[in-house]
Amino acid sequence: MGAKTINWTTEADNEFTAIRIFWNNYHLSTSYSKKLRDEVRRIEQIILDFPESFPIVGDNMLTGIKVHRAVVQENFSLFYQIENDAIFVISFRDNRRDPQGLTHIIKFSNN
């Protein structure tokens, strides 16, 4: 059975908003960021239906809870953790950024 809710941390929400604003300004249009938003919603539905469907990439540094990564449109990643019946999105990142910026949140596994 899938999870019941998806909650975004303030940090993850701010990251997603900043990415969308960047692309709005870059393209002088909201069409790309709307496509990105729609894809994130599609990924969220998959996560709700099948929370364990995306690979575990490490542990949350604060809680020790396993962190999953869902790739969105090849260039972005949504990092989330499962807690009881809730999903918490803890980061939304551009994959072209240095992953070391996540080490304050995630202790990555050496796969």
Side-chain angles (χ1 to χ4, degrees):
M1 182 171 179
K4 295 180 181 174
T5 63
I6 291 187
N7 304 291
W8 285 61
T9 64
T10 300
E11 183 174 354
D13 190 53
N14 289 343
E15 291 167 340
F16 185 50
T17 299
I19 287 169
R20 290 179 58 211
I21 289 170
F22 170 82
W23 287 108
N24 289 345
N25 292 333
Y26 183 81
H27 289 293
L28 301 176
S29 166
T30 60
S31 62
Y32 180 77
S33 66
K34 286 179 181 177
K35 288 178 188 176
L36 180 59
R37 182 199 60 214
D38 291 345
E39 181 65 7
V40 166
R41 287 181 180 161
R42 187 184 76 77
I43 296 291
E44 284 179 324
Q45 190 57 55
I46 293 169
I47 293 169
L48 282 170
D49 293 340
F50 308 101
E52 301 282 348
S53 62
F54 293 98
I56 294 171
V57 294
D59 299 318
N60 183 306
M61 296 288 283
L62 300 174
T63 64
I65 296 172
K66 301 294 181 200
V67 176
H68 297 258
R69 175 183 178 217
V71 175
V72 180
Q73 290 186 346
E74 297 180 16
N75 291 322
F76 304 97
S77 289
L78 184 150
F79 294 90
Y80 68 94
Q81 59 192 39
I82 303 165
E83 295 182 48
N84 301 317
D85 287 340
I87 303 293
F88 292 90
V89 176
I90 60 171
S91 186
F92 187 88
R93 308 266 302 179
D94 187 316
N95 293 335
R96 295 162 289 192
R97 287 179 59 192
D98 184 356
Q100 292 301 315
L102 283 172
T103 57
H104 72 287
I105 300 172
I106 301 169
K107 179 181 178 187
F108 289 97
S109 301
N110 294 332
N111 294 346

